[in-house]
Amino acid sequence: MNLGERTEKQAVSSTLAAIDIGSNSIRMAIGQILPDGRVETLEQVQRAVHLGQDTFRRGRLGRMVMRSAVAILKEYLRMLKLYDVRHIWAVATSAVREAVNSEIFLDRVLMTTGMEINLITPPEESRLTVSAVRLSLGNRTKLFKGKTLIAEVGGGSTILTVLNNGKIAGSQSLYLGAVRLQEVFTTGGETNEQAAQIIKTEVESVLDAVQSIIPFDKIDNFIAIGGDVRCAAKLISAAEDEKEPFNIIKKEDLAALIEKLTAKKPEQLVRQYHLSIADAETINTALIVYEAMLRRTKTEVLAVSKVSMRDGLIIELAQRIAGKEDKTAAQGVIDSATALARKYKVNLKHARHLQMISAKLFDLLSSEHGLSARYRLLLEAAAILHEVGIFISGRSYHKHTFYLIVNSEIFGLTQSEVQMVAHIARYHRRSRPKASHIEYMSLTREKRIIVNKLAAIIRLAGALKVSAEQELEGLKFAIKKDNLLITIPGRRDLLLRRSSLERQSDMFTDVYGLSPLL
Amino acid sequence: MRKKDPKISKIFINRELSWLEFNQRVLEQGQAKELPLLERMKFLSIVSSNLDEFFMVRVAGLMQQSSAGLRKRDPAGLTANEQLELISKRVGRMLAEQAMAVNEILEELAKNNLCILRRKDWSDSQAEYLSDYFSTELMPVLTPLAIEELNPPPLLPGRQLNVALAIAERAAGKKVKKIIIIPVPGIFRRFIEIPSQNSTALVPIEDIIAAYAYRIIRDKEVISSAFFRILRDADLTIQEEEASDLISMIEQVVFERRRRAAVRLTVSGGGDSYIKNWLIDWLELDHRFAYLSDTLLDSAALMEIVNRKDFDKLKITDWPPQKPSDLLYSEDIWQTVQDHDVLLSHPYESFEPIIDLLEQAAEDPAVLAIKQTLYRTSKDSAIVKSLEKAAANGKEVTVLVELKARFDESRNVNWARRLEDAGCHVIYGVVGLKTHAKALLLIRREDSLIRRYAHLSTGNYNEFTSKIYSDVALMTCDSDITKDVSTFFNLLTGSSETYDFSKLTIAPIGLRKKIVELIERERLVSTPDRPGLIMAKLNSLEDKEICQALARAGSSGVKIRLNVRGICCLRPGIKGLSSNIEVVSIVDRYLEHSRIFYFNNAGHSEVYISSADWMRRNIDKRLEILIPILSAKHKERLTEIMRICFEDNSNCWILQADGSYKRKKTSHKRVRAQETFWNYALAAVRKASRPNLRFKPITEEKQA
């Protein structure tokens, strides 16, 4: 039985989309991969919806905002149809992530639009943004000399990344979002000037507190990301050069703009500057945060990047479709999984062997499973982590493995990917997936199929019980008719291995229609 | 308020008076002896329909202002009431001239066996025929209204022709004068053809009614009769709350239009002025706008005669639209647009390729989606049919239907519903802004790559007007422009609240700034030995800020050549203020409708086409597009079009410093721009159809 062989292959479309559900608007970018590998942006849209207002003030998303968010996503779905987009990466940041009822919201979106939203964490946001900024710079990396601060003031939080000569030195997420600041610290009863003053005070105190982690006074370059600051660049008519990836805003111009904007109501900004209502509501608060940070750095100017996290999403998605996973990102996932395995005192040698054998099998079977390189990465992470459950207890450790992984963060993987990894690792031994396994059944059909395909590999790899280095080196696989021929040098314990293989190859044979022969 | 700077108001011409001068030029075409009779009649008919709209919208607006007591002055320094006074007089003269011309043409037509028979002309046998016709055909549908006896008084709709009878009635032994009004039913043709030997004989329907009306009002004596026509205020002030309600509101407006105030009365015949005065009182009309006419009322109806299928020798020769020069060697339009941008110059070049393109797109499996603006479209539009078909074939079809196309609302509502029924996504525009841009976007998948095609035009997607309006259009798949067009549609559909345009400029977002900047840049780069040059071809120039920018550039040495078909509020030839500005206007067989702008920019010339005139309403209250022309070849072609327009000396008028226009005298060499363009189109097709004389390598021939 070849389970859902075509799930991944049928989508040959070159169009892709990134959706970003933020605190005060939902944005979408649609692009396509050109033959030369570049991504051309086809559409960029934004609609306002005040998710953050509810979450930051009451801790949960209200009925009305959920409804409007779903309506917007439905409208976006229509647009995705225009371009026949099948690869969609939809993410939600703090406003949804922090809501106690985020699951309900995600489920409703899934039910009404079929879209699966990934909740992404601040480190994830930071990574995506940095990779977009990197790409936009091309080979003009001189801006990365010395210490560079990349900052995005969002609706819910501000995400800071510090680069040392271009390499990520650390990232930090602050509870300084434009929507959050307004919702938590102002009542709407103040004058604009009073509100701005309250927010300024709060921003300064938060920045004082993180000075030890983010050394603002040592920053040489300040790159600003975000819709609000891009808007500001436009309002100031910062020197526009289509070829340059940045618009430069001078410190004094920024301060002057804030003063000008403080005096105006959002409606006036919409009329006068043709801002969107979402931008008009947050721009000034966001600029106050940028300005406060800029004042603490060594630089006199803000380099406003033209890219956003969505560009990062698009770039990574394009790479995944093309099967060209960013090597460094993939390595980051492996490193993070290894660190997690180490934390739970896993036998790392054992783990690495299983990782390598699984990867080998994955590559050999690529035409059978038709899965992209991204899933190879998930499989490898599962192999590395398959024994973390032993930390709790050796009995039924695969079950402990499952919940330990599910509740962990792996840098570079989305929450739903981490969940897949947990499932693959869980089914590396004992019971096969069953309808009575609640967590398994809660996966979508597509995901269950993928879990089956990958668990079958890891199970077989485990059954081989390869432990010595020389065995690993000589290990060979070949497909002949309906058989998977396995050659292990040394011929030790052949009998034992055959019986182990017999017990654990049932799933493999079911999924791939191949009988392993040792 | 700051006092008006007399220097500034000096360079402005009042908008309404300038428009009337445009109508005067149309009238002069009706008087042009060298034109065929029915062509002249067409222009005279247009004079009337133009004036109708002018009264219903502009004069009505001024009357509202005036009765509201507004004392605001226009840029030329006139109050509403002062303008009304000037308009009243100017229109009086115009109507008299028009009547003379109509009568003259009617006489000439009779000599050519096309006779319009008024009551006095009827022979006995004709009268007998018409009497029968009245009894059997007309009488059953006539509704005479004894106005004074009806309570509440009936509302006579505007634009309708009426017969008024003054009758004498005996009441209490006394003779009482009363008025009976018989609306002319709209279901009949205006001119009834009667049997006649050797000629075509047409009788105006109102003459038949007036002649035999006594039969309906028995026992009463008809003292006098007259024909009259009312125009009413049609200014649409719609409270736009929700776009979805727009349709029902517009239908309401069409209905309400009937009960609006009267703004003009024209009366013909009647002998004494009793009926006219009675009507003025009854309608509570400003007496300045009651006109007596001594020819057929509602000359717009003369179009019925112009449109007859016969009498070709009294019409102009046809200039059939040609295959567009950019598409002469095209076998596959998609491929052609990929290879190069396509510039279309209608109606010299045919509009068919656009209709074909849509037809093709509806069936093409590679086409994923179609987005289009429809502002005014024709009856039985092939475009609408293609869009319906495309939706039926599963394509995503988004149509922006602009319902506020002045007098076409009911028609627009009809086909908007039809499109909705077919499964198109129909939207009714942005609240408060009329969508005037003409844009078509086709999204196509080619070998797994998405490619977008845009068609951007200065004219509407209307098969009928595309044959009589001169417009230009650009087809391109330039990725920046198509992305901008896509963003433009997102703005229309409300799919997005942010918009970034890279090549197009959109009104009301950035158009004003852009135009003023372009003019200002020309002023700055202009030097005495290399003076700047701005050429603009448009329908109307009214925007105050742009006029001032042009005047400023002009007085800094920039040569400013304007080809403005209609309203031009910028007064040329004022020493020290606008002496460097030249304004011409072309009125010919096709309505000049394209908007093309040229900026010399110190030798790095820039050329644009646009849907927008330089009027405040277009720039601030409408969604419009300014399109840069990228191809050098097309820039040259458009510059050439403008150059030829300025050279025209047969259908060209020059605006004088006093606000009047003088027809250019034909010098030794006659130039007629529209004829030149048609000849160009014809020559291009002829050249393409000639056997291929292009150079071929000799080696090939030897092998053959």
Side-chain angles (χ1 to χ4, degrees), chain B residues 357-367 370 386 389-390 393 395:
Chain B
L357 176 70
L358 274 162
E359 237 164 62
Q360 213 181 318
E363 301 286 0
D364 184 350
V367 171
I370 303 173
S386 288
K389 203 191 286 167
N393 287 343
K395 305 188 185 313

Side-chain angles (χ1 to χ4, degrees), chain A residues 14 32 42-43 46 79 84, chain B residues 445 448 450 486 490 497-498:
Chain A
S14 65
Q32 71 172 333
L42 295 169
E43 297 268 6
Q46 177 195 16
M79 223 181 220
D84 194 21
Chain B
R445 188 213 288 291
S448 91
I450 298 284
S486 205
N490 289 341
E497 286 156 16
T498 43

Side-chain angles (χ1 to χ4, degrees), chain B residues 248-476:
Chain B
S248 56
M249 279 179 73
I250 295 271
E251 283 167 338
Q252 187 70 23
V253 165
V254 173
F255 173 75
E256 292 246 347
R257 182 173 297 158
R258 296 163 157 268
R259 50 177 81 227
R260 290 297 187 85
V263 293
R264 191 188 80 176
L265 173 70
T266 37
V267 183
S268 146
D272 60 60
S273 55
Y274 176 76
I275 293 177
K276 179 186 158 200
N277 291 337
W278 184 90
L279 283 167
I280 293 172
D281 282 351
W282 182 64
L283 292 167
E284 295 170 2
L285 179 80
D286 181 337
H287 70 277
R288 291 177 295 186
F289 295 101
Y291 296 99
L292 270 177
S293 164
D294 61 2
T295 187
L296 289 163
L297 282 187
D298 188 14
S299 310
L302 292 172
M303 217 45 158
E304 214 178 282
I305 299 172
V306 176
N307 289 338
R308 285 180 65 100
K309 296 255 183 289
D310 43 9
F311 293 98
D312 281 348
K313 67 176 185 3
L314 302 181
K315 294 180 189 168
I316 47 171
T317 51
D318 205 18
W319 290 351
Q322 301 296 308
K323 191 169 180 191
S325 59
D326 275 2
L327 295 175
L328 285 173
Y329 301 97
S330 157
E331 279 158 14
D332 172 12
I333 189 149
W334 308 109
Q335 187 58 48
T336 307
V337 179
Q338 275 174 49
D339 294 344
H340 55 79
D341 285 0
V342 169
L343 186 74
L344 302 159
S345 168
H346 304 301
Y348 317 103
E349 297 185 336
S350 169
F351 186 66
E352 285 296 319
I354 305 307
I355 297 170
D356 292 347
L357 176 70
L358 274 162
E359 237 164 62
Q360 213 181 318
E363 301 286 0
D364 184 350
V367 171
L368 298 172
I370 303 173
K371 298 186 182 199
Q372 188 172 20
T373 58
L374 284 181
Y375 177 62
R376 284 177 178 175
T377 197
S378 46
K379 271 186 234 165
D380 307 316
S381 158
I383 292 172
V384 171
K385 278 186 198 132
S386 288
L387 294 173
E388 285 175 317
K389 203 191 286 167
N393 287 343
K395 305 188 185 313
E396 285 289 318
V397 181
T398 307
V399 188
L400 178 116
V401 174
E402 180 51 66
L403 286 182
K404 282 180 288 172
R406 228 171 242 175
F407 294 105
D408 294 338
E409 283 103 347
S410 28
R411 190 189 303 159
N412 276 356
V413 170
N414 275 339
W415 53 255
R417 291 242 166 92
R418 245 177 63 196
L419 284 170
E420 267 178 354
D421 291 344
C424 299
H425 182 59
V426 181
I427 36 170
Y428 299 98
V430 177
V431 175
L433 298 174
K434 183 157 153 175
T435 310
H436 192 249
K438 299 97 178 48
L440 165 65
L441 182 74
L442 296 158
I443 303 176
R444 198 160 181 263
R445 188 213 288 291
E446 295 162 355
D447 303 329
S448 91
L449 268 191
I450 298 284
R451 187 173 271 122
R452 291 179 288 192
Y453 296 81
H455 174 265
L456 299 164
S457 178
T458 65
N460 290 314
Y461 292 102
N462 181 317
E463 291 112 298
F464 177 67
T465 57
S466 74
K467 294 192 182 95
I468 51 173
Y469 287 15
S470 86
D471 275 303
V472 290
L474 178 77
M475 284 174 76
T476 183

Side-chain angles (χ1 to χ4, degrees), chain A residues 12-15 27 32-35 40-48 75-76 78-79 81-86 234 237 242 274-279, chain B residues 368-371 394 396-398 425 441 443 445 448-452 479-480 482-483 486-487 490 493-500 502 508-510 513:
Chain A
V12 286
S13 148
S14 65
T15 45
R27 297 161 190 259
Q32 71 172 333
I33 307 170
L34 299 175
E40 177 197 5
T41 308
L42 295 169
E43 297 268 6
Q44 273 173 313
V45 293
Q46 177 195 16
R47 295 270 306 264
E75 164 82 16
Y76 283 3
R78 228 179 53 75
M79 223 181 220
K81 229 179 123 195
L82 287 185
Y83 295 96
D84 194 21
V85 179
R86 309 222 184 118
K234 229 188 271 170
S237 333
E242 277 179 31
H274 298 288
L275 297 187
S276 70
I277 185 76
D279 287 340
Chain B
L368 298 172
I370 303 173
K371 298 186 182 199
E396 285 289 318
V397 181
T398 307
H425 182 59
L441 182 74
I443 303 176
R445 188 213 288 291
S448 91
L449 268 191
I450 298 284
R451 187 173 271 122
R452 291 179 288 192
S479 58
D480 285 341
T482 53
K483 181 166 183 250
S486 205
T487 307
N490 289 341
T493 53
S495 310
S496 185
E497 286 156 16
T498 43
Y499 15 82
D500 248 330
S502 54
I509 300 164
K513 197 168 152 234

Side-chain angles (χ1 to χ4, degrees), chain B residues 157-170:
Chain B
R159 309 171 84 189
Q160 171 186 271
L161 195 58
N162 304 282
V163 177
L165 305 172
I167 57 162
E169 199 178 41
R170 269 182 206 292

Side-chain angles (χ1 to χ4, degrees), chain A residues 223-328:
Chain A
I223 299 177
I225 315 278
D228 291 310
V229 74
R230 279 200 302 275
C231 224
K234 229 188 271 170
L235 294 184
I236 292 177
S237 333
E240 173 83 39
D241 187 341
E242 277 179 31
K243 285 182 209 102
E244 287 302 320
F246 297 107
N247 288 320
I248 303 296
I249 299 184
K250 290 196 204 101
K251 200 192 247 176
E252 58 273 20
D253 289 344
L254 183 60
L257 180 65
I258 291 172
E259 200 168 313
K260 204 161 95 186
L261 295 180
T262 304
K264 296 206 156 85
K265 289 194 192 76
E267 306 85 75
Q268 287 174 304
L269 297 179
V270 171
R271 266 203 311 277
Q272 200 172 341
Y273 301 113
H274 298 288
L275 297 187
S276 70
I277 185 76
D279 287 340
E281 282 168 344
T282 55
I283 182 164
N284 206 31
T285 310
L287 294 184
I288 288 173
V289 182
Y290 286 110
E291 202 264 342
M293 291 191 285
L294 180 59
R295 242 186 305 112
R296 288 163 184 252
T297 65
K298 285 201 270 184
T299 170
E300 293 292 306
V301 297
L302 207 54
V304 179
S305 172
K306 293 175 184 172
V307 301
S308 66
M309 183 187 72
R310 275 176 314 289
D311 296 297
L313 289 171
I314 290 270
I315 293 163
E316 269 201 35
L317 189 56
Q319 283 168 344
R320 275 187 217 174
I321 294 166
K324 279 185 293 178
E325 186 87 30
D326 184 353
K327 285 269 164 49
T328 54

